[in-house]
């Protein structure tokens, strides 16, 4: 909740900027968790970890693509870029330690973050539908990634991204349940 309050206050209605900055953070947990389970498989010399590793690395890749898409829509200012450097440095280390010691909590936390992301993208859609944010043409990279039509718009992109976030929420909650 306080995390959302911070984002709401800092970005206000600048949803494109909000998406850029938050997606740089969203790409971290899947990579950390996927890497850690990979290492666990190596040191235990045990099979059976493949599906989870691939799911988590795919999540990180998917979040990176969200960033590549939104960077076409909003250009971060220097302060936001500085915030990203600071956030990556702190969040990578924080999440790594959390994941090694309390993987269940770590997945649960990501599950909740992803639920917040769904809410943020729903608000972004409301802004577009109310005409407060221009419903521009979808960037090429987004059309390619989601196989959208030639005349797809930002609205279609946000709907596709939101569905990804819902998927991440479900996956992380179920990994929390099972770890
Ligand atoms: Fe995302
Ligand atoms: Fe996400």
């Amino acid at each position: 909740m306080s995390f959302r309050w911070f984002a709401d206050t800092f970005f206000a209605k600048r949803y494109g900027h909000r998406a850029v900055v938050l997606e740089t953070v969203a790409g971290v947990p899947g990579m950390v968790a996927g890497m850690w389970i990979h290492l666990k498989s190596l040191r235990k010399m045990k099979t059976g970890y493949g599906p989870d590793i691939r799911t988590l690395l795919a999540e990180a890749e998917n979040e990176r693509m969200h960033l590549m898409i939104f960077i076409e829509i909003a250009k971060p200012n220097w302060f936001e870029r500085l915030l990203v450097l600071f956030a990556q440095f702190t969040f990578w280390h924080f999440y790594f330690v959390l994941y090694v010691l309390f993987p269940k909590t770590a997945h649960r936390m990501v599950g909740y973050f992803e639920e917040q992301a769904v809410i943020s993208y729903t608000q972004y859609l409301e802004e577009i539908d109310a005409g407060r944010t221009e419903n521009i043409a979808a960037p090429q990279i987004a059309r390619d990634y989601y196989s959208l039509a030639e005349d797809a718009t930002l609205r279609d992109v946000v709907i596709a991204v939101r569905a990804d976030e819902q998927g991440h929420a479900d996956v992380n909650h179920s990994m929390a349940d099972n770890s």
Side-chain angles (χ1 to χ4, degrees):
M1 271 299 129
S2 59
F3 182 74
R4 263 193 58 97
W5 177 84
F6 170 78
D8 284 346
T9 307
F10 183 78
F11 296 107
K13 301 280 178 195
R14 296 156 64 242
Y15 285 100
H17 287 255
R18 180 197 187 110
V20 166
V21 173
L22 294 184
E23 293 296 357
T24 70
V25 177
V28 168
M31 186 58 67
V32 169
M35 177 192 71
W36 187 247
I37 298 176
H38 169 82
L39 293 175
K40 186 174 172 183
S41 175
L42 298 182
R43 71 178 180 271
K44 295 201 169 185
M45 299 175 217
K46 265 174 66 180
T47 180
Y49 295 104
D52 279 357
I53 295 168
R54 283 188 290 274
T55 298
L56 288 161
L57 294 182
E59 178 190 299
E61 165 70 5
N62 179 238
E63 299 288 18
R64 191 180 66 84
M65 288 308 297
H66 290 170
L67 174 63
M68 296 303 116
I69 288 166
F70 282 110
I71 200 76
E72 298 287 322
I73 291 160
K75 301 283 177 244
N77 59 36
W78 70 267
F79 183 73
E80 287 163 348
R81 286 181 178 274
L82 198 66
L83 188 69
V84 166
L85 295 186
F86 175 76
Q88 183 173 96
F89 182 79
T90 51
F91 189 64
W92 171 274
H93 294 90
F94 165 76
Y95 196 78
F96 178 72
V97 173
L98 182 69
Y99 200 84
V100 169
L101 298 177
F102 311 105
K104 193 183 182 75
T105 307
H107 280 303
R108 189 68 72 202
M109 191 188 83
V110 172
Y112 289 133
F113 279 1
E114 300 287 358
E115 286 174 21
Q116 298 303 317
V118 170
I119 294 172
S120 292
Y121 283 118
T122 299
Q123 290 171 342
Y124 196 175
L125 275 182
E126 286 165 3
E127 284 291 299
I128 295 167
D129 289 341
R132 287 188 291 268
T133 295
E134 194 190 347
N135 189 22
I136 56 173
Q140 176 79 52
I141 189 170
R143 280 194 278 131
D144 291 345
Y145 187 63
Y146 289 115
S147 309
L148 299 175
E150 282 285 311
D151 60 351
T153 62
L154 175 59
R155 189 174 196 284
D156 302 310
V157 176
V158 172
I159 287 171
V161 170
R162 184 178 63 172
D164 290 341
E165 310 298 15
Q166 186 61 58
H168 302 158
D170 297 342
V171 163
N172 278 278
H173 280 312
S174 89
M175 285 189 178
D177 293 340
N178 300 323
S179 61

